[in-house]
Amino acid sequence: MISLPSPKATAASLRESCPYTERRAALLEVLEPLGPPLQVVPATEDVDVAGIWYEVLPEQGVEGIVAKRAGAPYRPGRSWQKIRNAMNCS
């Protein structure tokens, strides 16, 4: 169970004070009991696993993967990078 900044933590306080890994853990904790159709996409810090996903997921209609810094706080704008599969780029 994740330790939230306070009992009255809001999305804004999580966003401002927690790194991505903690924000994601809080999201998983909230969504996991609900089940489909609400679900969080898989994540990994393993470069080899990400490479496999990049190669095989286009067969399922996924156009690429997203890279984020695990320890980074939320910043407005695009602080992440989408790596599109070359076969799906037009």
Side-chain angles (χ1 to χ4, degrees):
M1 182 173 197
I2 188 165
S3 174
L4 299 176
S6 76
K8 294 185 178 185
T10 64
S13 66
L14 283 173
R15 185 177 60 233
E16 294 164 5
S17 64
C18 296
Y20 171 73
T21 51
E22 291 180 29
R23 295 190 317 271
R24 182 179 170 82
L27 180 63
L28 286 168
E29 191 173 306
V30 170
L31 292 181
E32 188 172 29
L34 302 177
L38 298 175
Q39 56 191 5
V40 179
V41 297
T44 185
E45 292 186 33
D46 185 317
V47 174
D48 293 329
V49 170
I52 292 168
W53 288 349
Y54 178 79
E55 294 297 325
V56 301
L57 288 177
E59 297 167 8
Q60 298 175 24
V62 177
E63 65 181 33
I65 58 176
V66 172
K68 295 182 178 186
R69 295 191 183 274
Y74 175 82
R75 290 197 173 85
R78 192 166 174 178
S79 60
W80 49 272
Q81 186 168 7
K82 185 173 188 176
I83 301 116
R84 293 179 185 241
N85 187 290
M87 296 179 71
N88 290 330
C89 291
S90 49

